[in-house]
Each structure stands twice: as structure tokens, then as C-alpha cells.
Amino acid sequence: MALISPKITTYDVPIAIVYILSYGGGLISGDRIDLEIDVEEKAVLLVLTQGSTKVFPARGPRQSDIRQPSSSATNTSEQATTTSPSYVTTQRLHTHIAPGGFLLLLPDPITCFAGASYSQTQTFIMKHGASLVLLDWYTSGRMSRGEAWAFQRYRSTNEVWVDYPATVENGKSRDRRRVARDALLLEEGDTALYPMKSRTLKDRMGTFACYATLHLLGPSVQKVIASIQREFETIRVFQQSKRDTLIWSYSSLEDGGGIVRVAGEETELVKVWLKRMLSSLESVIGSEAWSKAFL
């Protein structure tokens, strides 16, 4: 993995941009990426990728990944041969955002190839007064090669914590609160364990080929949230003969934050929708920085 920070030619807004790049065009089986980001007070950081993050097929488990039962094991579950997840491609991101800091994590979507096994965990610790735009999205795979929802496993967990001024609740001091936790697991069912559940992952995911979750928190995104709320309130549910090619929902978080969930039949539909809904960020981060997102 490499980090590249291009120069900003027009400093209408003080901001840093970082691209996260992977060597060889994607992530291979067994790759482990561990990244920490610190956004200092009143700093603004835009994190991007160059193209979708491709996850290649899992190559394991290898023989070395097999754990042999202990000779002292007495329980049958302990004696069972198990596999380690060392062949799974994993990414971990841990972020701290200081008061007045603003992090925009706007990568391209994750695309898992057929047979891929991928897991990511992203944790965000925000000081009160910090702001965050977190986009987590993924596609069905290489549809042009008939690989729609053909990966082995996709797991994603996002947690957002906010450090508030210390308060006392039930006699205990409490100053860090988890304001959001979003966990997702997609995998093919084990027909040996669940013989009645014959629907494949592709069947369960329906006609949509791209799903996105957008977390918005902090003072710098209130204009975006207000715009999304206004549009969401105009939605009316009624029976129609043709299915929508894109659907979305909005849920409020405490302290004025929000979560948006989007599903589209094509990745491009979701990308265009996200760029439109987040367009007011241009006035916050500057036109040059904004022009680099959602290319």
C-alpha cells in the first residue's frame, strides 16, 4: 500500500488530500492493511482512492493454516480441525479527529472478485466539535465476467465514537459515547448446515449491483444533512409497475448526525446520486478538492 498527497494549486480552503493506493491493481489473498489517521484541530483531510479497491480470490486455507488438535483436548469441539483466517484479505482503519477537525473518507467502492474473502474494520474517535463524512460502499463484483455476488465473504464494520465533555450518569463519569455502529456480513450459506436455505447470495441481493452507507456527523456537514432531510421528507411510497433503479433511506443520529443507505442497479447511478447529495461540501472543502471526488 502507498499513500500519495498531491499538491493543491488553489488554496481557497486549507485542506490536505491523500490517496490510498494498492500495488498490483488490488488486494490479494492474505493481505493485511493497518492504517491510522490523526486529524488535528481545525485541519481538513480528504481521503480518496484511485479507482475501486479490487479484492482478488482467496487462495486458502493452506495446509499451514490448519490447526492440529491438541493431544490434551478432551472436548470434541476442541478436537475438531479448524481453519485460521490468514487467507482472508483484511483492512483496519483507526482514526482520531480533534475538535474542529474534519475528515472526509470518500473512497471508490470495494469490488470483490469471484472467490474473494474480505473483511474490514473502521473505527472513528471524534472529539466533540469534530466532523466526519464516511462513505462505505461495495459492488456485486465483475458483472461483465458473470461474477455478480460470486465472492466467498464480505464483512464490514464501522464504529463512530464521540468524546463529549465529562458528564455523570448513574454515579459514573461518562465522556465517550458510541453514536453509530454499522456491521454487515455477506456470504454464501453453508448448505450442509442450512439445507433448507437454498437461495444464493445473488438471489438474496436482488437486482441491485451497488450498495452504499454514508455517515454524516459534526458541524461541517449540517448543511448537507438538512438538504438530505428535506429531500427524504418528499418521498412518497406507492405501488408502481416498474421497479426503481435506485432507492435510498435516511436515519437520524444523536447530536444532529445522520446515516444514509443507498442501493442502485448500477455503480454509476449510486456515484452520481452521492455526488449530487454531497455537492454542498464544495463550499466547505473548496472546488479543487471537491473536483477530485467521485471521478
Side-chain angles (χ1 to χ4, degrees):
M1 185 187 73
L3 302 176
I4 297 178
S5 182
K7 292 183 178 180
I8 302 295
T9 57
T10 57
Y11 284 93
D12 47 351
V13 174
I15 184 173
I17 301 175
V18 171
Y19 284 93
I20 301 176
L21 308 178
S22 57
Y23 294 109
L27 304 176
I28 64 174
S29 176
D31 273 353
R32 297 284 189 274
I33 295 178
D34 198 338
L35 181 63
E36 293 196 12
I37 296 176
D38 287 310
V39 181
E40 297 183 352
E41 190 170 351
K42 298 182 180 180
V44 182
L45 175 62
L46 173 61
V47 179
L48 304 168
T49 57
Q50 287 188 328
S52 64
T53 299
K54 300 172 180 62
V55 183
F56 289 91
R59 297 183 308 212
R62 300 181 294 272
Q63 187 62 32
S64 59
D65 294 324
I66 305 298
R67 184 178 56 139
Q68 299 301 326
S70 169
S71 59
S72 61
T74 57
N75 188 289
T76 54
S77 63
E78 293 177 352
Q79 294 174 351
T81 300
T82 59
T83 59
S84 118
S86 61
Y87 59 91
V88 177
T89 302
T90 62
Q91 289 199 95
R92 188 191 76 93
L93 173 65
H94 194 83
T95 301
H96 287 86
I97 312 174
F102 188 13
L103 172 64
L104 302 97
L105 184 61
L106 298 175
D108 290 285
I110 301 291
T111 297
C112 292
F113 291 4
S117 186
Y118 174 80
S119 178
Q120 72 172 13
T121 301
Q122 301 185 127
T123 305
F124 303 84
I125 310 296
M126 303 172 58
K127 293 293 185 179
H128 187 54
S131 298
L132 172 67
V133 175
L134 161 61
L135 175 60
D136 183 17
W137 55 328
Y138 56 94
T139 74
S140 60
R142 297 184 293 182
M143 294 185 65
S144 61
R145 307 187 71 171
E147 293 184 1
W149 307 115
F151 49 81
Q152 289 184 13
R153 190 173 190 263
Y154 176 92
R155 179 180 182 274
S156 177
T157 302
N158 293 292
E159 283 195 342
V160 182
W161 298 77
V162 177
D163 286 342
Y164 294 91
T167 59
V168 177
E169 295 183 7
N170 299 323
K172 296 182 179 180
S173 176
R174 183 186 184 210
D175 56 3
R176 175 170 293 181
R177 305 177 194 173
R178 184 171 64 188
V179 298
R181 185 178 192 275
D182 191 73
L184 171 71
L185 174 62
L186 300 175
E187 63 182 349
E188 287 288 0
D190 190 331
T191 55
L193 295 175
Y194 308 103
M196 298 301 293
K197 298 181 179 180
S198 58
R199 297 181 68 201
T200 65
L201 178 60
K202 183 178 180 180
D203 293 333
R204 300 196 302 271
M205 299 305 289
T207 61
F208 297 115
C210 181
Y211 290 79
T213 301
L214 181 68
H215 292 71
L216 302 164
L217 298 103
S220 296
V221 297
Q222 290 308 301
K223 185 177 180 180
V224 173
I225 291 175
S227 175
I228 291 174
Q229 285 179 320
R230 285 194 301 269
E231 183 158 337
F232 184 65
E233 290 170 357
T234 66
I235 294 177
R236 298 293 182 265
V237 179
F238 55 90
Q239 189 174 4
Q240 52 188 6
S241 59
K242 187 178 180 181
R243 184 193 301 269
D244 289 330
T245 57
L246 183 143
I247 59 175
W248 66 282
S249 67
Y250 173 80
S251 302
S252 296
L253 296 173
E254 63 179 272
D255 284 355
I259 297 180
V260 181
R261 303 181 192 279
V262 191
E265 291 187 355
E266 297 178 5
T267 303
E268 188 67 20
L269 289 173
V270 177
K271 181 172 71 172
V272 170
W273 187 91
L274 288 168
K275 187 167 186 177
R276 178 176 69 84
M277 298 302 284
L278 296 174
S279 60
S280 61
L281 288 173
E282 182 175 354
S283 63
V284 181
I285 66 174
S287 57
E288 182 177 0
W290 178 247
S291 69
K292 299 181 183 299
F294 300 110
L295 293 179

